[in-house]
Amino acid sequence: MPSPITPRSLQTLLRSVSSSRAFASSFEVSPDPTHLNLDYAPPSYDAHSAAVYPNFITEEESKSIIKEVSKRMKRRRFEQGHWDSVIVGCREVELVIPNDLPSDSSTSNSDKDSPPLFVNAIRRTRKHLEAKHLTHSESIRWIPCHAIDLSADGRLDAHVDSIKFSGDIVAGISLLSDSIMRLKPCSEEWKSSDANHTASSSLQVEGHVDLYLPKLSLYVLAGMSRFTYTHELLPSGSMFEFTNAESKIEGVRVDRGRRLSVIFRDELRTEKK
Ligand code: OGA
Ligand code: MN
């Protein structure tokens, strides 16, 4: 028999609902504009095409993701040169969850009762991206997440994620280390490339946009930031500049150790018939 609702149990219930991340994420979470430095952005840059959400992931979720990724990566070595040397000193693994399997639906019995925290974190992030960053009305289909374990001396150089393999959104959760991501305008030639990721040095427009990515944050690249800007991680020890409350420019030095990221990409939509 269900127990009667007493004022005390109602209070406990309300407290647990309001502290639930799933609840909070769909109503309250908003990007922090101070984590985006637009001071050097080209005039045509669309500031709505990139966002950083600090503390999007809880410590508990982070631990669960790190544990799962470590398990799946056990026998993988750090590679020196990957994807045409765009990423150096990294290990990569797919982080498949039940929703990603064709035979399974999100309500599968296997984990309905208590899915592991990392599964919840991935589902919550996808829901958030669908609600806040999806511009078209068609239902989105997600590619299984990729986890990237970048060693302290690893590098992630400027590239655009292949437009032949994935769709409108590239988003990432950053764990273990803080870092700075730089976006730079790129030429059209990226678009004609077949490679998974492509590096290029011929830039047409000057300027850049920096994203401060503290651990536990979520960043999102869509529109212009996803398609016509490259992204890269700045070397450890780089400064993230921002304009403080007194309109003065301040800098934070960002030292990066080992970094673990979980990358979200949507499937490429095929043309409508
Ligand atoms: C990538 C990439 C960024 C990150 O894998 O293509 O850009 O945050 N990763 O790890
Ligand atoms: Mn990328």
Side-chain angles (χ1 to χ4, degrees):
M1 229 199 20
S3 47
I5 294 189
T6 60
R8 197 187 169 84
S9 64
L10 184 65
Q11 213 175 36
T12 314
L13 182 74
L14 284 175
R15 207 179 305 127
S16 77
V17 167
S18 66
S19 68
S20 136
R21 294 282 312 180
F23 183 83
S25 78
S26 51
F27 294 97
E28 294 159 23
V29 175
S30 45
D32 187 338
T34 65
H35 287 46
L36 222 62
N37 181 2
L38 300 170
D39 292 348
Y40 305 95
S44 60
Y45 179 70
D46 173 13
H48 296 295
S49 68
V52 180
Y53 297 84
N55 290 311
F56 187 85
I57 292 293
T58 63
E59 284 288 354
E60 290 70 30
E61 288 171 334
S62 168
K63 280 188 197 134
S64 169
I65 297 170
I66 293 164
K67 196 170 147 200
E68 184 63 24
V69 170
S70 308
K71 204 164 82 189
R72 297 191 194 197
M73 278 199 183
K74 231 170 208 162
R75 279 185 293 277
R76 298 198 182 217
R77 293 181 184 190
F78 282 93
E79 296 189 28
Q80 294 307 317
H82 194 42
W83 297 331
D84 303 323
S85 298
V86 162
I87 307 189
V88 176
C90 90
R91 301 187 295 181
E92 197 211 349
V93 81
E94 255 189 4
L95 196 52
V96 178
I97 64 165
N99 308 53
D100 297 325
L101 306 171
S103 58
D104 215 336
S105 78
S106 54
T107 51
S108 102
N109 284 329
S110 57
D111 70 4
K112 193 170 58 184
D113 299 329
S114 56
L117 279 180
F118 79 91
V119 172
N120 268 343
I122 290 175
R123 288 180 178 158
R124 185 165 67 75
T125 307
R126 286 177 173 169
K127 280 210 179 89
H128 173 83
L129 294 170
E130 287 165 16
K132 303 281 166 106
H133 293 276
L134 196 62
T135 49
H136 56 79
S137 55
E138 286 167 55
S139 69
I140 197 164
R141 294 177 40 180
W142 293 100
I143 294 172
C145 288
H146 273 86
I148 299 182
D149 187 354
L150 192 66
S151 61
D153 54 2
R155 285 192 346 246
L156 193 140
D157 295 337
H159 68 278
V160 174
D161 285 19
S162 167
I163 59 157
K164 296 210 167 150
F165 292 100
S166 74
D168 297 333
I169 292 178
V170 174
I173 286 169
S174 303
L175 304 175
L176 296 177
S177 271
D178 304 344
S179 58
I180 304 171
M181 178 171 272
R182 176 160 291 180
L183 310 182
K184 291 188 303 207
C186 69
S187 62
E188 283 291 303
E189 77 189 64
W190 295 88
K191 297 200 166 188
S192 58
S193 166
D194 266 343
N196 223 354
H197 298 66
T198 327
S200 166
S201 55
S202 67
L203 303 174
Q204 292 168 327
V205 189
E206 292 288 307
H208 62 259
V209 173
D210 285 347
L211 276 59
Y212 175 45
L213 307 180
K215 58 186 170 191
L216 306 179
S217 66
L218 168 73
Y219 68 84
V220 187
L221 309 177
M224 194 180 266
S225 293
R226 188 264 182 265
F227 290 110
T228 59
Y229 277 64
T230 59
H231 52 273
E232 69 196 281
L233 290 184
L234 295 187
S236 182
S238 300
M239 302 292 284
F240 178 78
E241 287 183 357
F242 64 98
T243 309
N244 68 19
E246 285 98 49
S247 304
K248 292 215 174 79
I249 293 183
E250 262 186 67
V252 213
R253 188 189 148 110
V254 182
D255 292 304
R256 179 175 68 75
R258 177 181 167 205
R259 173 178 184 268
L260 199 90
S261 55
V262 178
I263 308 300
F264 294 76
R265 299 186 179 96
D266 57 318
E267 271 184 16
L268 197 62
R269 280 176 298 140
T270 43
E271 291 298 319
K272 276 212 188 110
K273 292 179 192 113

